[in-house]
Amino acid sequence: MCGIIGVLGDHEVAPILVESLKRLEYRGYDSAGIATVHDGNLDRRRAVGKLINLSDVLVREPLRGMAGIGHTRWATHGAATEGNAHPHRSGPVAVVHNGIIENFRELRRELAEDGLAAQTDTDTETVALLTRLYLDRGMSPADAAVATLKRLEGAFALLWLFDGEDDLMIAARKGSPLAIGHGDGEMFVGSDAIALAPMTDRITYLEEGDYAFITRQSLVIRDQADQLVTREEQRIDLGRTRVEKAGYKHFMAKEIAEQPVVIGDALAHYLHADQINLPADLDFAGLDRLTLVACGTGFYACQTAKYWFESLAGIPCEIDVASEFRYREPPMPQKSFALFVSQSGETADTLAALRYCQDRVQKTVAVVNVPSSSMAREADIALSLHAGVEVGVASTKAFTCQLTVLAVMAIKAGLDRGHLTQAQAAEHIATLRALPGVFNAALACSDEIAALSEKLAEAQDILFLGRGPLYPLAMEGALKLKEISYIHAEGYASGELKHGPIALIERTVPVVVFAPYDRLFDKTVSNMQEVMARHGQVLLVSDAKGIAQAGEGTWATLKLPEVAEPFAPILYALPAQLLAYHTAIAKGTDVDQPRNLAKSVTVE
């Protein structure tokens, strides 16, 4: 969600801070600001809206200094206003913060009694006020920050800057990620290594509960027990942090087009010849259950994978939304794996669910796109998506890579449990290996989808239907459309249509039907006929055989290449994405940064 940057440099930092914040724009935000220390004086500039507005402010009111912090805010407490924008300042201290301070109301009341009344609607201001209180009582900046940390409840990544201290930043992490970058006589802090990539490839990640005192020449880290600790310095691949549109109008368009390549990359990593290259201790034999947990698009990937794990491997699967999972306090069979799916590897609800399952199951498995993320570090086994940096808020290539990795896992599970023969597994592997080429061929339908989307853009409600593993894909298609076009859309299992949703069918409601010519095709067509009998406008997405069999009477058809069962959802994700993309273009919405949404959701 929000983005943090901090620099102790040897050049003017305002331009560096703004440029680094631009690299975090993909997270989603509604305001931005920076603070610097110059000749011992702390000052700040803030603006609502995009970073260009902050740049305009800095042109009119320049901010000097070689030490500074910056932030892009996604509103949680209080509206998007300049007053609520970060950095928050109280007297000699400025703070930027990701996360939520859960006990801020209680602290705010105490501070008011001490004469430090809140001036904003935010929880973050409480951190600045509390630190100021301890400074006023004679504490050093370091002691004041630590004393403040002891009073905070919730999840946070925090970065402090102090008046009179041009060679000191203090950072703390609990629940939200924070990385420290090492330079030559310079130091950097970021909520994401992407923000630090232009400045350094040497990164130290703070672990849960850590806080750090940072100068240009030193880094001192203490853990949540206040003990001095050493955290590993890592080298990051700068190529994997590159965020460029490469000639495309939007990041989402670029990332849709990259799918044949990244799916191929994932397959190349996890398939060697006809052998599956997964960790040896990821052994599914003898399991009583597999629990899959995720949020949003990752949840739909898990729902799709449930069909695969149960049909290919015979493993009973439980799927849950991460934000509900741990609060149910579900009993976990000892003979089980818990699998967690997240693009960022920092999704707060999913990370909390992973921690709940530790010591309750045989193995926790993280399927993530960021190998250095919290989930990857804390899980027993971490599997990378190999999707590369995904900037568009609406996930595309990460989703198809999630499906691809989960499909490989399901085939291995089938072999481990004797549910698949080697010949059957080889057939499924061949289907997966063919997907990049099939995807390339299917991308040619983009112009046709753009034309269809002109009509979809006029609708107020759109339904998506699918059966079997295409049912979660229908829900994912509806989610994509909602996210970036703001059209109300819902995905349903085709067979559930007559149990309620059919009441919504009328001439003005387009219905997108995902129906490859498979063993469930005739059932899906029957439901599609129910829609057409009530004057619903059906867009049938199928292959040549399916369209020849059932295309008559539909509003439109969209032909995809044939793909063998059961992995059609991976291919059919493409038209779902393109329908959302082109409909959003037709409506003129912000495709890459849709309103109210954030790329990495690091709060509950």
Side-chain angles (χ1 to χ4, degrees), residues 55-79:
S55 296
D56 289 343
V57 170
L58 289 167
V59 169
R60 296 192 302 269
E61 303 174 64
L63 202 56
R64 295 200 59 195
M66 297 185 185
I69 58 177
H71 191 267
T72 49
R73 176 179 185 251
W74 187 85
T76 55
H77 296 73

Side-chain angles (χ1 to χ4, degrees), residues 344-356:
S344 67
E346 303 292 350
T347 310
D349 291 315
T350 311
L351 180 58
L354 187 155
R355 289 169 177 165
Y356 173 86

Side-chain angles (χ1 to χ4, degrees), residues 34-37 40-46 63 69 82-96 116-120 122 124-132 160-164:
I34 64 172
T36 64
V37 177
N41 297 313
L42 178 66
D43 204 356
R44 65 177 171 169
R45 303 285 185 267
R46 299 174 295 170
L63 202 56
I69 58 177
E82 183 177 332
N84 287 334
H86 297 219
H88 284 285
R89 179 180 181 180
S90 183
V93 59
V95 177
V96 291
L116 293 174
Q119 303 298 314
T120 77
T122 70
T124 305
E125 186 191 16
T126 308
V127 180
L129 291 169
L130 192 56
T131 307
R132 178 182 180 178
W160 283 266
L161 194 67
F162 298 91
D163 196 66

Side-chain angles (χ1 to χ4, degrees), residues 392-423:
V393 167
S395 182
T396 52
K397 64 176 181 174
F399 174 65
T400 48
C401 283
Q402 286 168 355
L403 292 176
T404 300
V405 175
L406 290 167
V408 172
M409 292 174 67
I411 296 170
K412 182 182 188 301
L415 287 170
D416 289 346
R417 298 167 68 84
H419 210 76
L420 289 178
T421 65
Q422 288 290 344

Side-chain angles (χ1 to χ4, degrees), residues 145-146 149-150 156-160 170-180 204-214 219-232 355 377:
V146 173
L149 284 173
K150 302 300 182 186
F156 49 77
L158 287 163
L159 189 59
W160 283 266
I170 300 175
R173 176 253 166 99
K174 180 184 176 185
S176 289
L178 211 53
I180 298 171
T204 297
Y205 290 96
L206 294 185
E207 296 189 7
E208 187 70 2
D210 284 354
Y211 58 93
F213 307 104
I214 307 160
L219 170 63
V220 177
I221 303 176
R222 292 184 179 270
D223 64 15
Q224 54 192 347
D226 301 316
Q227 300 298 307
L228 284 170
V229 292
T230 301
R231 302 301 184 203
E232 178 188 3
R355 289 169 177 165
R377 296 198 303 271

Side-chain angles (χ1 to χ4, degrees), residues 164 219 340 344-345 414 431 452 547 560 595:
L219 170 63
F340 304 88
S344 67
T431 297
L452 295 171
I547 291 172
L560 294 183
R595 68 188 184 196

